[in-house]
Amino acid sequence: MPLAKEDKDKIIKKYKTHESDTGSSEIQVALLTAEIEQLTEHLKTHKKDHSSRRVRLKTVCQHRRSLRYMQPENWT
C-alpha cells in the first residue's frame, strides 16, 4: 500500500535539505519509516494478509540498508 500523495508531500517538506530536494537519503528513510508504520497498522487488523506482511519485511530490510548507508564510516 503506497503512501497517499499528501502524506508523502508532508514528509518531503519536513525532511528536505534544500529547496529542490526530493530524494535525499534522509527523505527516503523517512518515507520508508512511514510506509512501515502504515503496513504495521494494516497488519494489526488483517492478520492473515501475507502479501502485505512480505512487503513490510522487504521494506524493513530496505530501511535497514538505507540507515547503514547513512551512518558514518568510522562509527563505533
Side-chain angles (χ1 to χ4, degrees):
M1 284 184 248
L3 290 171
K5 177 126 176 78
E6 300 83 29
D7 296 336
K8 198 172 185 179
D9 290 339
K10 285 180 190 176
I11 292 170
I12 290 172
K13 187 176 181 181
K14 183 176 180 181
Y15 289 99
K16 64 183 177 182
T17 56
H18 53 83
E19 192 58 39
S20 62
D21 184 18
T22 59
S24 65
S25 298
E26 293 84 4
I27 291 175
Q28 290 178 16
V29 168
L31 290 172
L32 287 170
T33 303
E35 189 173 346
I36 290 169
E37 290 172 356
Q38 180 183 10
L39 285 166
T40 302
E41 289 302 314
H42 170 79
L43 287 170
K44 284 181 182 176
T45 56
H46 302 92
K47 296 186 186 308
K48 295 187 177 185
D49 188 356
H50 296 293
S51 61
S52 292
R53 190 174 309 278
R54 184 171 183 270
V55 169
R56 187 185 77 176
L57 182 61
K58 288 176 71 171
T59 308
V60 167
C61 291
Q62 186 177 1
H63 184 260
R64 188 175 298 144
R65 282 192 309 267
S66 297
L67 287 175
R68 195 175 312 134
Y69 171 79
M70 286 177 53
Q71 78 183 24
E73 195 167 316
N74 294 334
W75 192 70
T76 57

